PDB file of all heavy atoms in Angstrom:
ATOM      1  N   GLY B 579     -21.423  28.534 -12.045  1.00 88.00           N
ATOM      2  CA  GLY B 579     -21.234  29.867 -11.482  1.00 88.00           C
ATOM      3  C   GLY B 579     -19.821  30.377 -11.661  1.00 88.00           C
ATOM      4  O   GLY B 579     -19.013  29.876 -12.449  1.00 88.00           O
ATOM      5  N   ALA B 580     -19.519  31.415 -10.857  1.00 90.00           N
ATOM      6  CA  ALA B 580     -18.195  32.040 -10.927  1.00 90.00           C
ATOM      7  C   ALA B 580     -17.152  31.134 -10.288  1.00 90.00           C
ATOM      8  O   ALA B 580     -17.420  30.402  -9.326  1.00 90.00           O
ATOM      9  CB  ALA B 580     -18.219  33.392 -10.218  1.00 90.00           C
ATOM     10  N   LEU B 581     -15.959  31.199 -10.821  1.00 93.00           N
ATOM     11  CA  LEU B 581     -14.865  30.393 -10.285  1.00 93.00           C
ATOM     12  C   LEU B 581     -14.407  30.939  -8.938  1.00 93.00           C
ATOM     13  O   LEU B 581     -14.342  32.164  -8.743  1.00 93.00           O
ATOM     14  CB  LEU B 581     -13.695  30.371 -11.265  1.00 93.00           C
ATOM     15  CG  LEU B 581     -13.965  29.660 -12.585  1.00 93.00           C
ATOM     16  CD1 LEU B 581     -12.771  29.818 -13.519  1.00 93.00           C
ATOM     17  CD2 LEU B 581     -14.272  28.187 -12.368  1.00 93.00           C
ATOM     18  N   PRO B 582     -14.068  30.057  -7.998  1.00 94.00           N
ATOM     19  CA  PRO B 582     -13.665  30.534  -6.667  1.00 94.00           C
ATOM     20  C   PRO B 582     -12.230  31.044  -6.663  1.00 94.00           C
ATOM     21  O   PRO B 582     -11.435  30.751  -7.563  1.00 94.00           O
ATOM     22  CB  PRO B 582     -13.823  29.293  -5.793  1.00 94.00           C
ATOM     23  CG  PRO B 582     -13.558  28.155  -6.720  1.00 94.00           C
ATOM     24  CD  PRO B 582     -14.099  28.589  -8.064  1.00 94.00           C
ATOM     25  N   VAL B 583     -11.922  31.783  -5.625  1.00 94.00           N
ATOM     26  CA  VAL B 583     -10.554  32.235  -5.358  1.00 94.00           C
ATOM     27  C   VAL B 583     -10.058  31.430  -4.155  1.00 94.00           C
ATOM     28  O   VAL B 583     -10.492  31.637  -3.022  1.00 94.00           O
ATOM     29  CB  VAL B 583     -10.502  33.749  -5.073  1.00 94.00           C
ATOM     30  CG1 VAL B 583      -9.071  34.166  -4.735  1.00 94.00           C
ATOM     31  CG2 VAL B 583     -11.018  34.535  -6.267  1.00 94.00           C
ATOM     32  N   ILE B 584      -9.156  30.503  -4.409  1.00 96.00           N
ATOM     33  CA  ILE B 584      -8.666  29.582  -3.383  1.00 96.00           C
ATOM     34  C   ILE B 584      -7.338  30.120  -2.871  1.00 96.00           C
ATOM     35  O   ILE B 584      -6.279  29.927  -3.484  1.00 96.00           O
ATOM     36  CB  ILE B 584      -8.513  28.161  -3.951  1.00 96.00           C
ATOM     37  CG1 ILE B 584      -9.798  27.724  -4.660  1.00 96.00           C
ATOM     38  CG2 ILE B 584      -8.163  27.174  -2.848  1.00 96.00           C
ATOM     39  CD1 ILE B 584      -9.678  26.404  -5.385  1.00 96.00           C
ATOM     40  N   GLU B 585      -7.386  30.806  -1.754  1.00 96.00           N
ATOM     41  CA  GLU B 585      -6.190  31.428  -1.188  1.00 96.00           C
ATOM     42  C   GLU B 585      -5.527  30.494  -0.184  1.00 96.00           C
ATOM     43  O   GLU B 585      -6.187  29.708   0.501  1.00 96.00           O
ATOM     44  CB  GLU B 585      -6.541  32.752  -0.515  1.00 96.00           C
ATOM     45  CG  GLU B 585      -7.047  33.815  -1.467  1.00 96.00           C
ATOM     46  CD  GLU B 585      -7.319  35.131  -0.779  1.00 96.00           C
ATOM     47  OE1 GLU B 585      -7.476  35.126   0.466  1.00 96.00           O
ATOM     48  OE2 GLU B 585      -7.358  36.172  -1.474  1.00 96.00           O
ATOM     49  N   GLY B 586      -4.215  30.601  -0.116  1.00 96.00           N
ATOM     50  CA  GLY B 586      -3.437  29.796   0.809  1.00 96.00           C
ATOM     51  C   GLY B 586      -2.100  30.445   1.091  1.00 96.00           C
ATOM     52  O   GLY B 586      -1.895  31.638   0.841  1.00 96.00           O
ATOM     53  N   THR B 587      -1.180  29.642   1.601  1.00 97.00           N
ATOM     54  CA  THR B 587       0.165  30.111   1.961  1.00 97.00           C
ATOM     55  C   THR B 587       1.182  29.450   1.050  1.00 97.00           C
ATOM     56  O   THR B 587       1.218  28.217   0.937  1.00 97.00           O
ATOM     57  CB  THR B 587       0.481  29.788   3.427  1.00 97.00           C
ATOM     58  OG1 THR B 587      -0.508  30.381   4.272  1.00 97.00           O
ATOM     59  CG2 THR B 587       1.846  30.306   3.809  1.00 97.00           C
ATOM     60  N   LEU B 588       1.984  30.245   0.400  1.00 97.00           N
ATOM     61  CA  LEU B 588       3.045  29.758  -0.479  1.00 97.00           C
ATOM     62  C   LEU B 588       4.360  29.757   0.289  1.00 97.00           C
ATOM     63  O   LEU B 588       4.723  30.755   0.917  1.00 97.00           O
ATOM     64  CB  LEU B 588       3.154  30.633  -1.722  1.00 97.00           C
ATOM     65  CG  LEU B 588       4.166  30.201  -2.781  1.00 97.00           C
ATOM     66  CD1 LEU B 588       3.779  28.864  -3.393  1.00 97.00           C
ATOM     67  CD2 LEU B 588       4.309  31.267  -3.864  1.00 97.00           C
ATOM     68  N   ILE B 589       5.082  28.630   0.243  1.00 97.00           N
ATOM     69  CA  ILE B 589       6.318  28.443   1.013  1.00 97.00           C
ATOM     70  C   ILE B 589       7.448  28.118   0.053  1.00 97.00           C
ATOM     71  O   ILE B 589       7.301  27.272  -0.844  1.00 97.00           O
ATOM     72  CB  ILE B 589       6.158  27.317   2.058  1.00 97.00           C
ATOM     73  CG1 ILE B 589       4.970  27.603   2.982  1.00 97.00           C
ATOM     74  CG2 ILE B 589       7.437  27.148   2.868  1.00 97.00           C
ATOM     75  CD1 ILE B 589       4.645  26.460   3.908  1.00 97.00           C
ATOM     76  N   ARG B 590       8.573  28.774   0.265  1.00 97.00           N
ATOM     77  CA  ARG B 590       9.796  28.475  -0.485  1.00 97.00           C
ATOM     78  C   ARG B 590      10.828  27.948   0.492  1.00 97.00           C
ATOM     79  O   ARG B 590      11.285  28.659   1.393  1.00 97.00           O
ATOM     80  CB  ARG B 590      10.332  29.718  -1.190  1.00 97.00           C
ATOM     81  CG  ARG B 590      11.582  29.475  -2.035  1.00 97.00           C
ATOM     82  CD  ARG B 590      12.037  30.754  -2.714  1.00 97.00           C
ATOM     83  NE  ARG B 590      13.165  30.532  -3.609  1.00 97.00           N
ATOM     84  CZ  ARG B 590      14.448  30.623  -3.232  1.00 97.00           C
ATOM     85  NH1 ARG B 590      14.747  30.958  -1.966  1.00 97.00           N
ATOM     86  NH2 ARG B 590      15.412  30.413  -4.102  1.00 97.00           N
TER      87      ARG B 590
END
Side-chain angles (χ1 to χ4, degrees):
L581 294 175
V583 177
I584 309 173
E585 295 183 340
T587 303
L588 184 65
I589 304 172
R590 182 179 184 270

